[in-house]
Amino acid sequence: MQWDNEFLIPLYNALLIPAAVFGIGLIVEWIGGLLTTFLGMLFGGKIAFFIRNRLTFIGTVHHELAHALFAWISGAKVTKVELFHVRGEQLGCVEFYPRGNTFTKAIQMMLASIAPVVCGAVSLCVLSWFWCYRCTLTWHYILTGYLMVSILFHMNMSSQDIKNAWKGMPLTMLICYIIFYVTKISFIG
C-alpha cells in the first residue's frame, strides 16, 4: 500500500486537525496543572486554586465568549451565557441548541466545543505579538502577562466539551477530507 497517494494525504490532513486541537488542549491542561502545582508549592493549595480559578476570571470570560461566538456563528441558538458564575467546579456556562439538519447540528456541536482552544490559541498569539512588539511600559507587560496566563488557564475543554466535540467529529473530518481532497491543500509533506 502506498502511503502518499492522492486519497490518503487528504485523510492524514483531516485527522491532523482534530488531533492538533485535542493535543493543544491536553498540552494546555498539562501546563496549567504544572503552574497550579508550582503555585501550590509556593503559596499552598487554596491560594493556588484561588489564583487559577478566581483571580484569572478573565480567562473564564474568554472561554465562555468563545463557546457563544462559535455556536452563534455556526447557526446554533444561544439561549444562555454566564460569563462568570461559580457553581462548584463550574465557573461559567453557555447553553445553546443546535439547529438545522444532522449535518449542521454536528458542525455546530464540534465548533462550539473546540472554541476555547481555537480562540485561546489565537488570542495567545496576538498577545505574544503585543508583548514582543508593543509593550513599552512595565504595566503593559504586567497586564499582557496577566491576560496571557488567564487565557492559558482557561482555554481547555471541559469533559462536556469533549463529549460534544466527539459527536460532531466524524462529520467534521469528512468535510475536512473533502476540502483537502478538492483543494489539494496539505499540512504534511
Side-chain angles (χ1 to χ4, degrees):
M1 177 182 218
Q2 188 178 5
W3 292 98
D4 63 346
N5 73 38
E6 68 176 309
F7 299 107
L8 287 178
I9 290 174
L11 177 62
Y12 301 149
N13 283 281
L15 293 171
L16 180 68
I17 301 296
V21 169
F22 285 106
I24 290 169
L26 288 172
I27 290 168
V28 164
E29 189 65 31
W30 179 73
I31 291 170
L34 281 178
L35 286 172
T36 304
T37 300
F38 177 70
L39 290 170
M41 290 188 306
L42 289 177
F43 306 113
K46 287 185 179 184
I47 293 176
F49 178 82
F50 175 78
I51 291 171
R52 179 167 185 172
N53 292 307
R54 304 298 192 269
L55 191 62
T56 60
F57 72 93
I58 293 294
T60 300
V61 171
H62 185 277
H63 179 105
E64 301 307 337
L65 286 175
H67 280 309
L69 176 66
F70 274 44
W72 177 73
I73 286 174
S74 65
K77 180 174 177 59
V78 178
T79 58
K80 181 179 181 181
V81 178
E82 291 184 354
L83 298 179
F84 194 73
H85 183 94
V86 179
R87 282 186 300 272
E89 294 293 312
Q90 186 181 13
L91 301 175
C93 76
V94 170
E95 293 178 7
F96 66 93
Y97 295 102
R99 298 189 288 194
N101 58 32
T102 303
F103 175 79
T104 57
K105 287 179 181 179
I107 298 299
Q108 291 165 6
M109 292 297 285
M110 174 71 174
L111 290 175
S113 297
I114 67 169
V117 175
V118 174
C119 290
V122 170
S123 294
L124 288 178
C125 287
V126 170
L127 288 168
S128 296
W129 173 85
F130 189 83
W131 176 282
C132 292
Y133 299 107
R134 294 291 183 214
C135 288
T136 56
L137 302 171
T138 302
W139 73 268
H140 293 166
Y141 287 103
I142 292 169
L143 180 60
T144 305
Y146 165 73
L147 290 172
M148 291 171 74
V149 169
S150 296
I151 291 169
L152 178 73
F153 272 148
H154 298 280
M155 66 182 266
N156 57 342
M157 293 172 63
S158 69
S159 57
Q160 187 61 48
D161 293 340
I162 292 169
K163 288 176 191 173
N164 289 344
W166 278 114
K167 291 176 186 175
M169 186 70 65
L171 195 51
T172 302
M173 288 176 50
L174 176 62
I175 292 167
C176 287
Y177 177 84
I178 293 168
I179 291 169
F180 289 126
Y181 182 77
V182 170
T183 63
K184 304 296 184 209
I185 294 172
S186 180
F187 296 115
I188 53 177

